[in-house]
Amino acid sequence: MSKKKVAHGFATIAIHGGADPHQPGDPVAPPLIQSVNYIQEIGTAAGLKYSRYGNTPNAERLQKRLAMLEGSEASLVLSSGMGATACAMLALLRPGDHLLASAYIYGGTHRLFTEEFVRHGIDVTLVDPLEPRAWRKRLRKETRVIFVESPVNPTCRVLDLRPISYLTKEIGLALVVDSTFASPVNFRPIEHGADVVIHSATKFLNGHHDVLSGVVCGTEPYIQEVLNKMMVWGQAPDPFAMWLLERGLKTLDVRVRRQNDNTTRIAHWCVERKEIRKVHFPGLPEHPDHEIARAMLDGFGSMLAIELVGGGKATDKFLRKLKLIQHAASLGGVDSLICEPRYTSHAAMSSDERARIGIPDGFLRLSIGIEDADDIIADIEQALK
Ligand SMILES: *Cc1c(COP(=O)(O)O)cnc(C)c1O
């Protein structure tokens, strides 16, 4: 008797989505097949399996699952978030094309666009996404793609995708969204008009600070184009990385919900502290994008930024006193982390340049994990003293 196909909820898909029906004798934990190549049928080129072709069992199951979570037709897993961004964009842009990109993007993405793409004949204009009608004003007839990152690193600004997607649909551009900071638990850009979604799976999707990986989601024919880029630019992930990512993904829903709850509590606590001059968190009613965040997001996330009274000097002392929250780059995992963008993602800018985009010296970015919120608060409290 065939079972009726039922649509599952998000948490169930994160665990079972894309898996084959169970048979007696199957392992419950999906096996890691650490083989680069597979035995091929004689007399045909069809069905050639190879790790760099993105068609191994660990890859295919994971790709189906990630597409289901984002609500896209297909997805491709790559070796890093940067590999994902590079191949996703190379599949859309040719020399002579024009790219409109938000100025508020990850440092590596900024370098890829302004140093690498420009050298390959792709024109790039960086746009302040908070300026009214900014996108429309900078359109050219060669414009092919609009690229945004939301929520924005490290200021936690949230962009309204609706006016941008009206524009991209009206004139037939691709809207590409890096939604690493939200994870599909909190934000699914395709529901708001995006065509392509990119993640650094190194962050929330894996969630344990032990895998470097990236994902691109989009239509079936487009993902085929991204695969063509991945194959020749060599951006395929290792099966073990995919196996770990699949394991991490199983707890995505509970992790992110717990991170959301922890961070909301911690943000409200921080607001009350006289040693903290400013708290950046879209879940706070006073955050400039609170209403947009409510419309776009299902949860406000676990990225939080604070500015201490006393600026850069106070920051140094504070960081040295923290015991539980670890001073490290990256984000989105189960361990709470803190970093200073002036020494990490935005180190290439001058102090004045950073201040102009809302990152004064002493600006601290936190990625809240799934520890007990009371313990995280106690750690911040003792370090403020
Ligand atoms: C980390 C990050 C990337 C790059 O991802 P890697 O996995 O480190 O290559 C891209 N975009 C955003 C928003 C990120 O946070």
Side-chain angles (χ1 to χ4, degrees):
M1 219 172 68
S2 71
K3 276 191 200 146
K4 208 169 141 231
K5 210 171 164 227
V6 285
H8 286 130
F10 188 93
T12 309
I13 294 170
I15 298 168
H16 300 287
D20 291 331
H22 305 147
Q23 304 288 338
D26 282 353
V28 172
L32 163 63
I33 305 178
Q34 188 69 38
S35 185
V36 164
N37 45 0
Y38 288 74
I39 294 165
Q40 203 194 349
E41 214 177 309
I42 294 165
T44 173
L48 181 65
K49 271 192 201 285
Y50 191 61
S51 274
R52 186 161 44 74
Y53 294 6
N55 60 2
T56 60
N58 287 97
E60 288 193 328
R61 191 171 51 243
L62 191 53
Q63 283 160 185
K64 274 190 216 153
R65 189 168 304 170
L66 286 162
M68 290 167 88
L69 292 175
E70 276 298 343
S72 64
E73 271 177 40
S75 89
L76 186 70
V77 178
L78 298 95
S79 58
S80 68
M82 283 310 302
T85 305
C87 293
M89 300 307 279
L90 288 170
L92 291 168
L93 294 162
R94 305 279 175 279
D97 286 348
H98 177 231
L99 162 66
L100 275 179
S102 166
Y104 300 145
I105 49 177
Y106 176 70
T109 312
H110 185 273
R111 277 186 61 191
L112 176 72
F113 293 172
T114 59
E115 293 177 25
E116 299 300 317
F117 283 10
V118 165
R119 217 174 279 157
H120 290 87
I122 296 162
D123 232 342
V124 180
T125 304
L126 295 179
V127 174
D128 178 350
L130 304 173
E131 180 196 322
R133 298 172 58 83
W135 304 101
R136 199 176 279 276
K137 280 187 226 160
R138 285 163 188 84
L139 275 179
R140 297 190 203 153
K141 67 176 191 315
E142 299 83 17
T143 309
R144 295 283 170 269
V145 181
I146 289 184
F147 179 99
V148 299
E149 185 182 301
S150 182
V152 173
N153 175 23
T155 50
C156 304
R157 297 298 303 249
V158 180
L159 304 183
D160 191 350
L161 283 196
R162 293 164 296 188
I164 310 174
S165 72
Y166 294 149
L167 181 67
T168 53
K169 292 214 186 317
E170 178 193 323
I171 44 183
L173 309 179
L175 174 55
V176 180
V177 180
D178 178 340
S179 72
T180 296
F181 264 46
S183 90
V185 180
N186 290 337
F187 182 36
R188 290 166 305 282
I190 289 172
E191 290 174 5
H192 301 278
D195 301 292
V196 176
V197 179
I198 295 172
H199 283 282
S200 165
T202 313
K203 317 292 169 56
F204 290 95
L205 294 179
N206 176 63
H208 294 76
H209 311 293
D210 54 10
V211 171
L212 194 70
S213 182
V215 184
V216 183
C217 302
T219 64
E220 201 81 68
Y222 166 71
I223 291 299
Q224 187 58 49
E225 280 300 310
V226 183
L227 171 63
N228 291 339
K229 299 298 171 197
M230 179 180 94
M231 285 162 71
V232 292
W233 291 85
Q235 292 299 317
D238 182 83
F240 184 47
M242 287 187 283
W243 185 83
L244 281 174
L245 174 55
E246 184 174 349
R247 188 166 96 151
L249 204 57
K250 284 179 188 275
T251 55
L252 177 70
D253 191 72
V254 283
R255 278 190 284 107
V256 172
R257 284 172 194 276
R258 166 75 167 230
Q259 287 175 288
N260 288 345
D261 291 348
N262 273 359
T263 312
T264 298
R265 251 196 78 194
I266 294 162
H268 280 98
W269 181 87
C270 286
V271 167
E272 299 300 323
R273 297 297 307 205
K274 62 178 189 328
E275 302 92 333
I276 300 174
R277 194 165 64 81
K278 202 162 176 199
V279 182
H280 303 259
F281 180 64
L284 294 172
E286 60 268 36
H287 186 277
D289 306 323
H290 183 63
E291 286 312 314
I292 294 170
R294 283 169 50 115
M296 292 284 123
L297 309 177
D298 288 341
F300 297 115
S302 58
M303 300 308 296
L304 160 76
I306 57 175
E307 294 173 41
L308 299 184
V309 173
K313 276 204 196 105
T315 302
D316 222 65
K317 269 197 201 146
F318 174 76
L319 288 175
R320 286 179 202 288
K321 283 191 189 162
L322 287 173
K323 295 188 177 93
L324 185 67
I325 304 172
Q326 302 170 90
H327 181 239
S330 201
L331 60 110
V334 292
D335 307 58
S336 291
L337 303 179
I338 191 163
C339 72
E340 274 189 277
R342 65 171 162 163
Y343 298 129
T344 55
S345 53
H346 294 70
M349 291 178 157
S350 71
S351 177
D352 284 347
E353 279 175 322
R354 279 191 299 265
R356 239 176 281 136
I357 62 163
I359 313 170
D361 288 351
F363 186 105
L364 288 165
R365 187 191 82 178
L366 288 117
S367 169
I368 300 298
I370 63 169
E371 301 96 339
D372 290 287
D374 286 340
D375 293 332
I376 301 170
I377 289 172
D379 196 35
I380 298 174
E381 187 167 29
Q382 63 81 25
L384 284 173
K385 275 178 193 153

